[in-house]
Amino acid sequence: MDGEIDQLAVVARPVEHLDRTDLRSLGHDERQAAVDRKRAVDAKHHDAGAAIVAGMQGDARADDGIADAALGLLRDLIFYLPIVLGVGIIIRLFMAWSHHGATYDARLVKRLLAGLTALILGPGILVNLILKEHSHRPRPRNTDLFGGDLSFVPAGDFSGACGSNCSFISGEAAGAGWLFCYAVFLVPDRFRLLVSPPLIALALASPAMRLAYGGHYLSDVILAWLGSVVVFTGTLYFFTRKETASIA
């Protein structure tokens, strides 16, 4: 009688609390039923764990997708911003030219012309039409150093296998260098504290993003960024040299 009570107690015990000693105390049918129940519970636990892991992986992929989309939007913003500001310069020029006499600001007109000319000469012609199309330097992700099938070519060597839109130099970094100069020289005084800091931040973020994406080498982005600064300041000096001479 006591043995039967013990067996009933074992059968009634939660499956996850059964061990081998408990199973040996049962009869064949009760033992098989207990084993089947334990397997069913284990399967449920396994399915629940797999569902949790899959959910975590899905959340991670979703987070990665959101981050990639945000970085893509940021890159598009930095890429098109110099073009938008260039159009804005043209509008500002026509507005300035509409004034006459005492209200005509010749100094502003010269600075705006310098900025527009620098955008066309630097990022436009020198970088995108000449160097990127004729430097033949493969991008890092396309070279054998980073899993690609093209040979590495150092900066300044125009013997690479890239056909067009090549790594040397970075068009986006060149645009970012021009954007930096716009923030320093061309933002209207009344908007300078509000507009210039974020523009400078974007101008510094763009080269770092191009490196992170494997689109350019460090030399590509540094030379492009600094090259635009040199072109902008040189153009600005050319347009305002008479003002500088008169002040001196």
Side-chain angles (χ1 to χ4, degrees):
M1 184 69 177
D2 291 340
E4 292 179 357
I5 293 175
D6 291 339
Q7 287 184 355
L8 289 174
V10 170
V11 171
R13 190 180 304 170
V15 177
E16 59 271 18
H17 294 165
L18 294 178
D19 54 25
R20 293 183 178 179
T21 302
D22 295 327
L23 293 176
R24 284 196 296 268
S25 67
L26 299 175
H28 179 271
D29 293 339
E30 291 84 358
R31 186 185 305 122
Q32 186 61 45
V35 169
D36 291 341
R37 284 192 298 138
K38 184 172 180 59
R39 287 175 178 173
V41 172
D42 290 342
K44 290 181 179 180
H45 288 169
H46 178 270
D47 292 342
I52 293 174
V53 172
M56 294 173 63
Q57 291 176 342
D59 291 341
R61 285 193 295 270
D63 292 340
D64 290 342
I66 294 173
D68 290 341
L71 288 175
L73 289 175
L74 180 61
R75 181 189 173 189
D76 290 342
L77 171 64
I78 300 174
F79 179 84
Y80 289 107
L81 191 54
I83 301 174
V84 173
L85 292 176
V87 174
I89 288 177
I90 296 174
I91 295 174
R92 291 173 65 185
L93 278 171
F94 278 105
M95 292 175 62
W97 284 329
S98 67
H99 292 269
H100 302 281
T103 61
Y104 177 73
D105 191 343
R107 182 174 178 271
L108 174 62
V109 169
K110 291 177 181 179
R111 294 169 76 88
L112 292 175
L113 285 173
L116 185 61
T117 303
L119 178 62
I120 296 172
L121 291 180
I125 296 176
L126 178 62
V127 174
N128 285 294
L129 293 183
I130 297 178
L131 288 176
K132 291 184 69 66
E133 296 302 317
H134 298 91
S135 66
H136 304 301
R137 189 186 196 189
R139 297 179 183 273
R141 58 173 175 258
N142 296 330
T143 64
D144 48 11
L145 298 178
F146 299 95
D149 54 0
L150 301 179
S151 299
F152 168 79
V153 174
D157 186 342
F158 286 21
S159 63
C162 175
S164 63
N165 193 26
C166 302
S167 184
F168 187 81
I169 52 181
S170 171
E172 292 179 42
W178 181 90
L179 187 63
F180 174 84
C181 293
Y182 182 94
V184 173
F185 297 110
L186 296 182
V187 173
D189 292 338
R190 62 182 181 276
F191 299 128
R192 190 173 300 278
L193 291 178
L194 179 64
V195 175
S196 289
L199 287 182
I200 292 174
L202 292 175
L204 297 175
S206 177
M209 291 176 61
R210 298 308 293 143
L211 285 174
Y213 275 103
H216 291 282
Y217 296 97
L218 181 62
S219 57
D220 297 331
V221 297
I222 290 179
L223 291 174
W225 200 92
L226 292 178
S228 285
V229 173
V230 170
V231 171
F232 194 111
T233 54
T235 306
L236 184 63
Y237 172 77
F238 176 81
F239 277 90
T240 61
R241 66 189 185 280
K242 292 183 179 180
E243 295 178 15
T244 305
S246 62
I247 295 175

